[in-house]
Amino acid sequence: MGLAKRRFDALIIGAGGAGLNAAIQLAGREARVAVVSKVFPTRSHTVAAQGGVNAALANVLPDNWHWHMFDTVKGSDYLGDQDAIEYMCREAIPTVYELEHNGVPFSRLDNGKIYQRAFGGQSQNFGGAQAARTCAAADRTGHAILHTLYQQNLRARTHFFDEYFAIDLIRDDDGAILGALVLEIETGEPLLIEAKATVLATGGCGQAFRTTSNAHINTGDGMAMALRAGVPLMDMEFYQFHPTGIAGKGMLITEGVRGEGGYLVNKDGERFMERYAPNAKDLASRDVVSRAIVTEVKEGRGCGPNGEHVLLKLDHLGEEIINKRLPGIRETGKIFAGVDAVREPLPVFPTAHYAMGGIPTDRFGRVLAPIGTGEEVVPGLYAAGECACVSVHGANRLGGNSLLDILVFGRAAGLDLMQHMESNHRPMSEAAVDKAMSRLERWDRKGDGISVRELRDEFRKCMEDHAGVFRTEEIMDEGVARLKALRDQLDDVRLQDHSRVFNTARIEALELENIMACGMAIAVSALHRRESRGAHSRPDYPSRDDANWMKHSLYLLDGDRAEYKPVQTRPLSVETFPPKERVY
Ligand SMILES: Cc1cc2nc3c(=O)[nH]c(=O)nc-3n(C[C@H](O)[C@H](O)[C@H](O)COP(=O)(O)OP(=O)(O)OC[C@H]3O[C@@H](n4cnc5c(N)ncnc54)[C@H](O)[C@@H]3O)c2cc1C
């Protein structure tokens, strides 16, 4: 077949923080690197990260990486792998300094050191007083980091394929990944990219839910590509709802607002977090605060005409602090809630925010898949960033730990890949290429039928109703059945006005398939886990059950099955943090 083909040493799919930090390791060492992104690189979702990145620099309050490690293990509700967590917390410190040296304009303290703010779940001395560990560039940290990484990649001559959409991985009969089929969005021309190693760095899948803080592009494409290549998704039931999205809309109001001294109140003006988390109050971990808000609203203490949200008060911080530390938040409040945060509190409610689960990898970014009774590295495939699950976040991620995760493990993947690129290119078989092409050709269907939009809206609404903050067997059972029925309707979808809207209609259809694959993984994994842990809250099984459920779940596309594997409780050099009750 006459498909155009390009050949590189490494193919990186995704130009967010994870993809760009992997690319820079390689390009700097003279490898031929292709980075494919469906949007212009600096529009990746990393650009929207507000609050900051964690590292125990101890610039504001005493700190060290071991305390950071403890907080992350506890925050994960003991489901995170402690070897990976130790590695990440140690690497945090050189990672932030490397960013600084590469040009990230961090906010500064009067003594010239990097400014650090308090975030939820941070403590000194293994659970003691609040720590201040989040390094920030005002409330636009992701913007500063992403632009810096992009510029450094331009300097290193990374080859960018901007506005190319990755359709599927190309996998040979032995299971090795040989590259991917991509589509140039502007022309609609498919292109094969062959590579010795491929990195999935495609970000999260927040678009599986109706109300989300995520960008439109976060449709879980990489996660779905992995599933189709026979790789399971790990711990997908653990989806984080950020406590403070703009009510009814979902745009994020950073936890940094509460870190700077903002707090939540109900309709009686009560600072209700004092009841739910007497010590940490508004800076308890995200799952705890989200459940508290939903409970306040359910029990009739919500604000607004229909009592459907609570209020985030920050006017007492004063205009000067708000303008200096939280300028983006003031802007977001004005645009999306019609509220000036300097004068009035912001209406907030939990919003779908972050996938703790994803493509299972080891701490070198190598993708793992069950083979027989064991687990093996998938030859030629890496994953890093929000689409991956190392796992450092376990059942709940702490604020400021995701930017850290994408940088540390993006870099680790780039470095590991560099060492294992010796092997020669293997030719792609015609059958493997045809299989990927058939996914594209399927979306030549025009005419009357369900529209992508209708089906997508229904699916996302169903996810919100049946896989949200609180989940019971009954709600979940019904949800999984409905989601499956919606997935079956994919065959009835027709692209409307195809001739006029050109390729975007096809891309939206391909994205819908991916959203559905991720949504099913979340719902099926959640139905099976009969305990409450971290972000997964089951009123019918209200306690954490370490005897039966101290294990990672694996969702397999084939038969919508769930399997399990052990948690790595042994760190690299320090003692294990054994499971304890998690209170804030
Ligand atoms: C509003 C908001 C605020 C946040 N604030 C913070 C914070 O303060 N601190 C923190 O630690 N974390 C924060 N997070 C989380 C964190 O920003 C993300 O988890 C992280 O940036 C994800 O980075 P990534 O590199 O994995 O993916 P992304 O930055 O999402 O990039 C994904 C890339 O993949 C590409 N891509 C996807 N699919 C395809 C495809 N099919 N073909 C080609 N390219 C594709 C996209 O074009 C993009 O380049 C925030 C998240 C949100 C949504």
Side-chain angles (χ1 to χ4, degrees):
M1 64 174 20
L3 262 177
K5 198 183 279 183
R6 298 282 302 269
R7 183 178 276 199
F8 290 86
D9 291 323
L11 164 63
I12 296 174
I13 306 178
L20 293 187
N21 214 28
I24 197 111
Q25 314 304 327
L26 294 156
R29 288 168 176 78
E30 310 279 304
R32 278 179 48 76
V33 188
V35 175
V36 172
S37 175
K38 64 179 175 178
V39 292
F40 190 77
T42 52
R43 301 191 64 134
S44 304
H45 190 59
T46 299
V47 81
Q50 302 170 350
V53 50
N54 293 339
L57 304 183
N59 286 354
V60 173
L61 292 170
D63 209 355
N64 72 54
W65 67 261
H66 202 187
W67 302 348
H68 183 187
M69 177 182 171
F70 168 78
D71 290 340
T72 305
V73 173
K74 176 182 171 187
S76 82
D77 222 348
Y78 298 90
L79 198 78
D81 288 339
Q82 296 194 21
D83 57 341
I85 295 177
E86 178 181 338
Y87 178 75
M88 178 178 83
C89 296
R90 279 171 172 270
E91 281 295 303
I93 297 163
T95 299
V96 166
Y97 288 140
E98 186 179 281
L99 285 176
E100 183 194 35
H101 297 162
N102 277 335
V104 173
F106 283 110
S107 298
R108 297 281 160 182
L109 294 163
D110 288 342
N111 64 9
K113 290 187 174 175
I114 293 174
Y115 171 69
Q116 295 190 280
R117 59 165 54 115
F119 248 49
Q122 299 180 348
S123 75
Q124 299 179 47
N125 230 336
F126 311 107
Q130 175 74 43
R133 191 175 292 140
T134 307
C135 309
D139 57 1
R140 295 177 177 132
T141 315
H143 185 275
I145 292 176
L146 192 65
H147 279 259
T148 303
L149 289 175
Y150 181 56
Q151 286 159 9
Q152 294 291 349
N153 268 287
L154 288 181
R155 186 168 79 163
R157 297 185 189 284
T158 297
H159 190 106
F160 282 97
F161 288 90
D162 295 340
E163 300 189 356
Y164 278 69
F165 184 91
I167 294 171
D168 246 341
L169 297 168
I170 305 287
R171 178 175 177 266
D172 76 3
D173 293 340
D174 308 334
I177 302 302
L178 307 176
L181 175 70
V182 306
L183 181 81
E184 183 177 16
I185 298 176
E186 187 185 355
T187 61
E189 286 299 323
L191 168 71
L192 278 173
I193 301 186
E194 276 188 339
K196 293 175 188 166
T198 302
V199 184
L200 291 169
T202 48
C205 58
Q207 287 298 325
F209 294 91
R210 184 173 66 161
T211 309
T212 175
S213 66
N214 281 200
H216 286 289
I217 55 171
N218 295 130
T219 50
D221 299 353
M223 294 180 186
M225 279 189 255
L227 278 177
R228 287 190 294 266
V231 176
L233 293 183
M234 186 161 105
D235 291 344
M236 289 298 280
E237 63 272 43
F238 300 107
Y239 197 89
Q240 179 167 84
F241 297 88
H242 192 292
T244 57
I246 299 259
K249 307 223 168 72
M251 290 81 184
L252 193 77
I253 301 297
T254 174
E255 190 168 307
V257 168
R258 283 169 286 138
E260 297 288 345
Y263 57 86
L264 296 160
V265 294
N266 61 18
K267 77 164 191 218
D268 306 322
E270 183 205 4
R271 198 173 164 184
F272 58 87
M273 278 315 298
E274 290 177 347
R275 265 189 284 121
Y276 296 88
N279 294 320
K281 300 188 181 87
D282 295 84
L283 283 179
S285 157
R286 289 182 178 173
D287 53 333
V288 176
V289 184
S290 285
R291 280 195 290 275
I293 295 175
V294 174
T295 306
E296 287 301 293
V297 164
K298 271 198 181 151
E299 293 182 355
R301 291 185 294 277
C303 311
N306 303 318
E308 285 178 336
H309 58 254
V310 297
L311 295 173
L312 176 59
K313 229 178 101 50
L314 68 160
D315 51 305
H316 58 285
L317 300 179
E319 189 161 1
E320 198 187 326
I321 291 278
I322 293 177
N323 284 346
K324 186 168 167 207
R325 302 269 190 239
L326 304 162
I329 289 309
R330 188 174 182 189
E331 222 172 275
T332 305
K334 279 186 190 161
I335 297 172
F336 297 107
V339 167
D340 184 352
V342 165
R343 288 182 186 83
E344 280 176 81
L346 293 165
V348 294
F349 195 73
T351 182
H353 184 58
Y354 181 84
M356 268 76 74
I359 305 161
T361 71
D362 60 16
R363 72 189 154 81
F364 308 102
R366 299 180 295 200
V367 172
L368 304 168
I371 306 221
T373 51
E375 190 177 50
E376 276 181 30
V377 168
V378 178
L381 187 61
Y382 287 76
E386 192 171 332
C387 71
C389 181
V390 184
S391 114
V392 284
H393 310 301
N396 173 67
R397 167 176 78 88
L398 295 186
N401 263 0
S402 172
L403 285 180
L404 180 59
D405 166 0
I406 66 177
L407 295 164
V408 166
F409 294 105
R411 179 170 186 275
L415 291 176
D416 191 84
L417 198 156
M418 197 61 214
Q419 286 170 13
H420 295 96
M421 259 184 351
E422 310 300 321
S423 63
N424 283 326
H425 282 286
R426 283 202 263 172
M428 293 175 172
S429 77
E430 209 165 300
V433 173
D434 285 350
K435 189 161 167 242
M437 274 302 286
S438 69
R439 254 202 97 215
L440 183 61
E441 282 154 5
R442 192 155 30 134
W443 290 113
D444 277 339
R445 302 184 314 218
K446 301 175 209 167
D448 291 336
I450 312 173
S451 73
V452 168
R453 193 194 171 132
E454 263 174 283
L455 194 55
R456 185 180 56 206
D457 289 353
E458 264 193 75
F459 190 89
R460 299 171 70 217
K461 168 86 170 49
C462 188
M463 284 294 293
E464 190 162 298
D465 294 345
H466 295 272
V469 173
F470 287 110
R471 304 156 166 182
T472 61
E473 193 87 9
E474 201 187 343
I475 296 179
M476 302 288 313
D477 245 343
E478 191 192 327
V480 168
R482 286 192 52 204
L483 294 171
K484 277 187 182 163
L486 290 169
R487 186 177 61 184
D488 289 344
Q489 287 185 38
L490 265 176
D491 287 340
D492 305 326
V493 169
R494 294 289 176 278
L495 303 190
Q496 275 134 32
D497 284 337
H498 185 220
S499 53
R500 263 199 300 126
V501 293
F502 198 49
N503 273 319
T504 50
R506 265 203 299 185
I507 301 247
E508 280 171 10
L510 292 163
E511 286 177 339
L512 174 60
E513 286 182 317
N514 295 336
I515 285 174
M516 286 184 157
C518 295
M520 281 306 299
I522 293 171
V524 168
S525 309
L527 174 64
H528 289 307
R529 187 176 284 269
R530 294 198 168 105
E531 65 158 351
S532 289
R533 186 187 293 269
H536 179 61
S537 182
R538 302 267 314 234
D540 45 357
Y541 297 94
S543 309
R544 193 176 81 198
D545 175 2
D546 289 335
N548 295 303
W549 288 102
M550 188 71 170
K551 53 192 180 187
H552 296 296
S553 64
L554 296 171
Y555 163 83
L556 290 102
L557 187 59
D558 182 18
D560 290 317
R561 272 183 307 127
E563 288 183 6
Y564 296 90
K565 73 172 200 181
V567 173
Q568 174 55 272
T569 51
R570 214 166 331 125
L572 298 171
S573 73
V574 291
E575 303 238 320
T576 300
F577 289 113
K580 277 203 218 146
E581 200 195 346
R582 187 166 154 257
V583 281
Y584 286 99

